[in-house]
Amino acid sequence: MTVRSILLGTLPLLTAALVATVASVWVVRRTRHFTRGRRTALRIGIRGDLVAVVLGSGDADAARERLEHLARRRAGRRLLLELTVSVAGTVRGESDRRLADLVETTGLASELVAQLGHPDPYRRTAAAETIGALRLWSVVDTLHAAMRDEDTDVRIAAATAYVRLDAHRAAPALLRMIGKE
């Protein structure tokens, strides 16, 4: 056997391997593109339902049911939590009460409490700000630990949220926190 015959014998195998690799890359890229499009469409739908619930529009009950159903899945809870955190500081009055009620009934309040222990200080800050903005009374005690966080922004957000929730009890706790600084 000569080198030429060996190369000619392996050439079809190498060509087939190259074609298979190119086809695999194409399938992976198409799948990512398709998944990204579905995720974007899902986010738009969730955002629309969230707005309907917060504003109390005509289809608020159906939107609330869809959001509660979505919150039963882990990926859905994550998306709903992310959008709720982004909306929480912008609603006022009856709208923030509707959003807080949705957060309580879907169990996102416990997710916010879990976010207070996240390694990322941005997430801890956002969770504390959301708890304060929505006045989630059920989780007020969790803000004590957040007021002792190593990150200054988290401590400030937790203190601000605590004042929004319970101004009478907040003053002594804040004085103790300032005394330790």
Side-chain angles (χ1 to χ4, degrees):
M1 279 193 134
T2 66
V3 174
R4 182 172 187 230
S5 64
I6 293 174
L7 286 176
L8 288 176
T10 59
L11 190 58
L13 292 174
L14 291 174
T15 304
L18 181 62
V19 168
T21 303
V22 169
S24 297
V25 167
W26 182 82
V27 167
V28 167
R29 285 186 178 168
R30 292 297 297 163
T31 303
R32 284 183 184 163
H33 178 73
F34 177 73
T35 304
R36 193 175 301 128
R38 282 187 48 209
R39 194 176 310 132
T40 301
L42 180 63
R43 290 171 84 81
I44 291 169
I46 294 170
R47 187 173 287 127
D49 286 345
L50 199 56
V51 168
V53 168
V54 167
L55 296 179
S57 66
D59 61 344
D61 292 334
R64 184 181 185 86
E65 277 185 36
R66 286 191 298 271
L67 291 174
E68 287 174 356
H69 178 72
L70 178 74
R72 292 185 196 121
R73 296 191 328 250
R74 187 170 47 116
R77 288 176 71 81
R78 193 175 19 172
L79 275 172
L80 186 55
L81 179 66
E82 181 183 315
L83 291 172
T84 300
V85 166
S86 70
V87 169
T90 62
V91 294
R92 299 285 181 262
E94 187 61 30
S95 295
D96 73 351
R97 196 65 327 227
R98 286 187 199 108
L99 184 58
D101 184 48
L102 178 70
V103 167
E104 293 281 357
T105 58
T106 56
L108 290 178
S110 61
E111 298 284 332
L112 287 169
V113 170
Q115 291 288 313
L116 287 174
H118 196 276
D120 182 10
Y122 173 77
R123 287 198 183 185
R124 294 193 308 268
T125 302
E129 289 171 347
T130 303
I131 289 169
L134 297 179
R135 291 175 175 80
L136 298 175
W137 297 96
S138 61
V139 295
V140 68
D141 293 333
T142 61
L143 293 172
H144 284 283
M147 289 192 319
R148 292 186 297 275
D149 195 277
E150 72 266 2
D151 188 81
T152 305
D153 291 336
V154 176
R155 288 195 308 267
I156 291 170
T160 304
Y162 195 55
V163 168
R164 281 184 158 177
L165 288 168
D166 195 357
H168 298 294
R169 283 187 9 196
L174 292 174
L175 289 174
R176 284 192 302 272
M177 185 178 86
I178 291 170
K180 292 180 182 179
E181 290 289 316

